[in-house]
Each structure stands twice: as C-alpha cells, then as structure tokens.
Amino acid sequence: MEKTPSAGKTPNVVIRGDITPNSSSTDDMIMDEADKTLQAMGYTPVFKREFSTWSSFSFAMSISGVYGSLMSTWIYGLQAGGAAAIMWSWIIGGAGAWALALSLAELSSAYPSSGAMYFTIKFLAPGEQVPILCWIAGYINLVGTITGSAATEYASSQMLLAAVSITSKFAYIPTTSHVVAVMALLTVVHASINLLPTLWLTRLTSGYVVFHISVLVGACVCLLVQTKDKHTIQYAFTDFQPSSGWSPPGFAFLFGCLTPAWIMTSADSTARIAEEAKDPSRIVPKAIANASTFTYIIGFVFNLVLVLCMGDPLELVKSPSGQPVAQLFFNAMGRAPAICFTLCGFAVMNLVAIPGIQSGSRTIFAFARDDLIPFSHIWRRISPRSHTPIAAVVLYAVLEIIVNLLGLASDTAISAVFNVCTVALNVSYLVPIVCKMLYGRFERGPWHLGRFSMFANIVAVGWNTFMAVIFFFPTKLPVTPENMNYAIVVFIFVLLFSVSFWYTHGRHFYTGPGSRVSRPLVADIGTAVGVVI
C-alpha cells in the first residue's frame, strides 16, 4: 500500500519493499544530479557513488586485461596463420571492436544505469517493442556475461598451472580436472572480495591499471632485450602460415579476430557500475572510450613484440603447457623469467575476474529489479551494511562454476560455451545501436561522438554482425566431432529459450525496464516509503 502524500513535505521516491535506499537521513535526501537522473529514469538510488574518474578508468582497463587476456587467446591468431594473421586480425578486428566500444560509451552517457545496454532499449525502441526486445536482449546478454566471466576464471587457472608446468620443466602436464578445481577455488576467492563495500572495491580497483601497465612494459622490454634472433617488421606483417585447411587460406585470418573481440567486447561492463559512479554520464563513457582506445594501441604494441620474438610459431602451438605465450617467454628468457611473467599474467587475469564479478552481479541485480529473472525478490536485495547485492554476487559466482564444470564433460563442450560469449554479448549490444539508428529517439548525453556517431554505429553494426557469423564457423577443416564449433548450437538454444520463455511467462507481467517502480510521491522528511507491487 501507499502512504497518503502530505502537502509541504520533501518529495521522495517510492521504492519496492525489498530494495533499501542508500540513506534515509535528511541531508542525504538532497540528491545530486546523478541520483535525480536515475530517479527520472524510474529507479531509486540504492548504491553509494564511490567510483571516480581514475577508478572508473582503472576498472575499464582491468575488464579488458589486455596482458593476461591476450596471453590466453593469442593461440587463435597463431593457429589462423601465424605472424601476419596475428597482426592484421588485431588491426582490423580491433578497429571494429573499438567502434563498438565508442558506440556503447555514447549510449551509456545518455542513459547511465546498472542495466547498461539492456536498459537503453527502453528509450531507443518504440514503446510496444520495448518489453520483448529488452527481454530477449537481456537474456542473451546475461548468458554472454556469465560465460565471459567463466572463461576468465578458467583462463586464470590455466595460466597458474602453466607456470607450475614450467617450474617442473614440463614434467607436470595440467589436466582438465586440475584446471576446474583451481577455477572453483579462484571463483570463491573473487566472489568473497566482491562482498566488500563499494568503497573498498574502489580502492582495490584504483591500483589495477598501474600494475597492469607495469607488467606490460616490463614484458615488452625484457623480450626485446633477451631475444637474440628476432624476426623483422616485414616478417610480422607478411609471413602467413595457414594451417586451418580453409580455402582460400587468407579466410582463416578472420578467426584471429576473436582475440581483439574477446578482449574488447566487455566494454559495457563499466556502464554497469554507473549507479556507483559519482558523475556517471561523464565519467563512465570517458572510462570506456579511453580504456578501449588505450587497449587497442597497447594491444597492437604487445602483439608486435610477441611476434618479433616468437621464433618458430609451430613450436609455440605445440607447447606442452598449453599456453603459447608462456612457452615464448620460456624460449626467449629462460625458466625463471618465464615463470615470473606467466604468474604476472595470472595476476592480471585475477584483476579481470574480480571486477568481472562486480559487473556481472550488477547485471543480475538490474534484471532482478525489473523482474526479468526468476526469484527476483532475492537477487535484488541490497545489504544494508555493505550496500552491495550480496545475493546477486553469490548467484553469479555459482553460475560461473556451473558453466566451468562442463569442462569435466569434454573440451568441446566447454569451448562451445566460451566461444558463444563474444557473439552473445555483441548481439545484445547491437540491438540498442540498431534501434538508435532506425527510430531516431536517441537524446545524447554530455559525452557523445558528434558527427562521427553514425559512422561509428555503422562500422560497429556491420563488422560485428559479420564477425558473429564468422565465429560460428569451425576453425579447422576437415570438420570432426572434436574440432566442430558448437557455439551456434548454444546460441540458438539461448535464443529459443528466451523467446519461448517470453511467450510462456514474460509477456504476462514484464513491461520493460524501470516500469515496475512507482512514480514519485510526497512523504515524510527522511522517510522512504515502501510499496509492494
């Protein structure tokens, strides 16, 4: 029920009975512009705004984790065609991913919310299309987010065990069961960190980028100094050694584009902490744009250094550690430096996983706030002590572990789930961008692309639609049950599930983001009025 408004009192926002506002004191009820904007979009502020310009940029950089992420995905370009495939796939594929990131940054400035791109559809699509578009895009995005975080945890455990393998002089060969066990332990640790208050998470995040860049620079310098027989610049851009079996052989280089796509595809993760940033309409898009631009540039440099120092690419592909870059470090610098830089990669991947859980848990919270997912009343609860969605954090960590348990079934099954990550996320991102271009309902925020907006949108939609199809292809011919890319099976299942779940369940009650929260009423000073809908 609702309280009767009292004339002359301070206006307040009516909230769901199971969501607690971030403060009830009179002074704190004088909201800043960010909170007023959030209220105007249909939500009551429940998080503390602790993220500054620097911590938001550091968060965005840690999500990409270019050093560790490139180490774990470099094999795609290596197998696609060696040096030239690695370099050109980064240049071309990275440009497409960069255009997508800039497009997302512009949308996040106009509609800053923990719902990120899912939420923007509310303002970009015609009203009658909003519920079904948000429902389907939301579920596809959730699957992409969970599988992406699960892949990060899996890659972290692989990197740690690769360092152990090098330490043992390759006497120890990591097994799938070992990787899964380490993954589960790491996920529990990372989730535990995310139970801390936002202020502590901000302090941790602020140091990520310093460590990350230091490791990158150190690895590049050591490789260039220690590698005796380096390849030439010409070799880096012209040597193509196709081994995929595809015809024409040059087609295979497209598979290398999975590396920049995977590294830069989670650009909207920073948008999911918009309700925890001090000036989200400016800070968040700047963090996304600056981090994606820096990642594109530094990723090119790191790729070039690795290619110049890699020696025989076929030897790296066959590394017993399962990590070509770790093997490259070993060949170029010896055992001790290789262990050191591989462990640094492990550390960086941990710094990707921690904010990944924070971002993912905010996604679950945002969806639960709109009753998009089952048992929403549990997952949208905010801890009065830490001001974080503890239940959502726990659920997200459990889902990560469940996904990675597929690795025990077969490498093919877990690969299919991981491969669908980039496609699922990109498709969920393209929905609001296409709506923006088609319907002309977009009202830009303080940060925007100006006259380059439409160009960036067209490149983002065109390239990433094309790559979504390419990423469903098997990377090697002839196709066997072992090397078949089953990502398309997973994606179609998710798509069919979301559509069928909409017609059997969602259409009966779901009306879109922000529509389940009551309109502002007048209430007693300093009192939050709870309304159970």
Side-chain angles (χ1 to χ4, degrees):
M1 23 181 327
E2 301 181 5
K3 281 189 178 180
T4 304
S6 303
K9 301 295 184 179
T10 303
N12 196 10
V13 171
V14 176
I15 63 173
R16 302 289 294 275
D18 50 1
I19 300 179
T20 306
N22 57 22
S23 178
S24 60
S25 69
T26 304
D27 292 339
D28 289 342
M29 280 290 116
I30 304 174
M31 300 181 182
D32 61 14
E33 289 302 316
D35 286 341
K36 291 178 182 177
T37 300
L38 185 63
Q39 282 195 343
M41 293 190 296
Y43 295 125
T44 298
V46 296
F47 294 106
K48 291 200 171 196
R49 297 189 179 275
E50 305 283 4
F51 277 85
S52 63
T53 300
W54 173 257
S55 57
S56 297
F57 170 72
S58 186
F59 184 96
M61 280 297 301
S62 66
I63 285 292
S64 70
V66 61
Y67 178 83
S69 298
L70 198 147
M71 282 184 67
S72 62
T73 59
W74 204 60
I75 192 170
Y76 291 110
L78 199 63
Q79 293 176 332
I86 291 170
M87 296 309 303
W88 289 110
S89 65
W90 184 270
I91 293 171
I92 299 173
W98 184 44
L100 179 62
L102 294 178
S103 299
L104 300 184
E106 185 176 51
L107 291 177
S108 70
S109 176
Y111 314 108
S113 161
S114 294
M117 296 306 110
Y118 145 85
F119 176 73
T120 66
I121 299 174
K122 173 182 178 180
F123 301 92
L124 300 173
E128 66 276 8
Q129 298 179 19
V130 168
I132 187 170
L133 287 178
C134 286
W135 182 276
I136 295 174
Y139 270 96
I140 293 175
N141 179 274
L142 183 60
V143 169
T145 302
I146 293 170
T147 55
S149 294
T152 299
E153 301 285 3
Y154 201 87
S156 298
S157 61
Q158 285 181 317
M159 215 162 290
L160 176 61
L161 295 180
V164 175
S165 179
I166 295 174
T167 303
S168 69
K169 297 181 181 180
F170 303 107
Y172 166 71
I173 304 298
T175 65
T176 302
S177 58
H178 293 170
V179 173
V180 171
V182 173
M183 170 281 305
L185 178 60
L186 290 175
T187 303
V188 171
V189 172
H190 299 153
S192 299
I193 294 173
N194 271 278
L195 299 181
L196 295 171
T198 302
L199 178 60
W200 284 97
L201 293 175
T202 304
R203 290 172 177 173
L204 288 172
T205 302
S206 297
Y208 290 170
V209 69
V210 177
F211 174 77
H212 190 181
I213 301 307
S214 300
V215 170
L216 263 172
V217 173
C220 290
V221 171
C222 290
L223 279 174
L224 292 174
V225 171
Q226 293 294 324
T227 304
K228 297 179 180 179
D229 298 320
K230 289 186 281 289
H231 295 295
T232 63
I233 296 292
Q234 182 180 3
Y235 171 90
F237 291 96
T238 59
D239 186 78
F240 186 68
Q241 300 182 30
S243 59
S244 65
W246 279 94
S247 181
F251 177 81
F253 109 91
L254 292 171
F255 298 129
C257 293
L258 182 60
T259 299
W262 199 81
I263 292 173
M264 300 173 69
T265 198
S266 294
D268 85 316
S269 294
T270 310
R272 296 171 193 167
I273 61 166
E275 294 178 34
E276 298 167 81
K278 295 179 179 179
D279 186 8
S281 61
R282 292 177 176 83
I283 287 177
V284 168
K286 286 180 181 178
I288 295 173
N290 293 338
S292 60
T293 302
F294 188 77
T295 296
Y296 185 40
I297 295 171
I298 199 66
F300 170 82
V301 174
F302 191 37
N303 267 307
L304 181 58
V305 171
L306 291 176
V307 167
L308 294 178
C309 302
M310 71 178 180
D312 183 3
L314 296 179
E315 180 185 352
L316 299 182
V317 172
K318 299 175 182 178
S319 172
S321 70
Q323 291 287 316
V325 177
Q327 184 67 48
L328 189 157
F329 289 147
F330 178 82
N331 295 344
M333 297 182 288
R335 190 157 64 99
I339 295 171
C340 175
F341 283 111
T342 302
L343 287 176
C344 285
F346 166 69
V348 169
M349 290 304 287
N350 279 265
L351 301 184
V352 176
I354 294 170
I357 290 181
Q358 182 179 358
S359 173
S361 64
R362 292 345 181 232
T363 301
I364 287 181
F365 164 80
F367 289 177
R369 181 170 56 183
D370 295 327
D371 284 337
L372 185 74
I373 56 179
F375 306 106
S376 291
H377 65 284
I378 298 175
W379 317 125
R380 63 174 168 245
R381 290 174 181 168
I382 298 293
S383 167
R385 177 171 297 181
S386 66
H387 293 278
T388 57
I390 290 179
V393 170
V394 174
L395 173 63
Y396 194 76
V398 170
L399 292 174
E400 281 187 345
I401 294 174
I402 291 174
V403 167
N404 278 323
L405 288 177
L406 290 173
L408 295 176
S410 72
D411 292 337
T412 304
I414 195 69
S415 295
V417 175
F418 290 165
N419 287 342
V420 83
C421 160
T422 301
V423 177
L425 286 176
N426 283 358
V427 168
S428 70
Y429 300 158
L430 294 182
V431 172
I433 297 175
V434 170
C435 289
K436 171 181 178 288
M437 294 191 295
L438 285 181
Y439 300 117
R441 301 164 66 93
F442 175 69
E443 296 182 9
R444 67 190 190 186
W447 192 99
H448 55 83
L449 296 171
R451 64 179 182 272
F452 298 105
S453 177
M454 184 58 68
F455 175 74
N457 293 167
I458 292 173
V459 172
V461 172
W463 175 256
N464 289 283
T465 300
F466 172 65
M467 292 312 300
V469 176
I470 296 299
F471 291 156
F472 286 140
F473 281 65
T475 57
K476 287 187 177 182
L477 294 180
V479 180
T480 66
E482 288 71 30
N483 65 20
M484 173 62 184
N485 185 355
Y486 292 97
I488 188 170
V489 178
V490 178
F491 182 78
I492 291 177
F493 171 79
V494 172
L495 184 61
L496 292 177
F497 171 81
S498 62
V499 172
S500 60
F501 198 35
W502 163 257
Y503 282 105
T504 60
H505 186 68
R507 67 189 178 96
H508 298 296
F509 69 90
Y510 180 75
T511 55
S515 58
R516 301 283 290 173
V517 182
S518 299
R519 60 184 177 82
L521 294 178
V522 178
D524 293 337
I525 296 177
T527 304
V529 182
V531 179
V532 180
I533 299 176

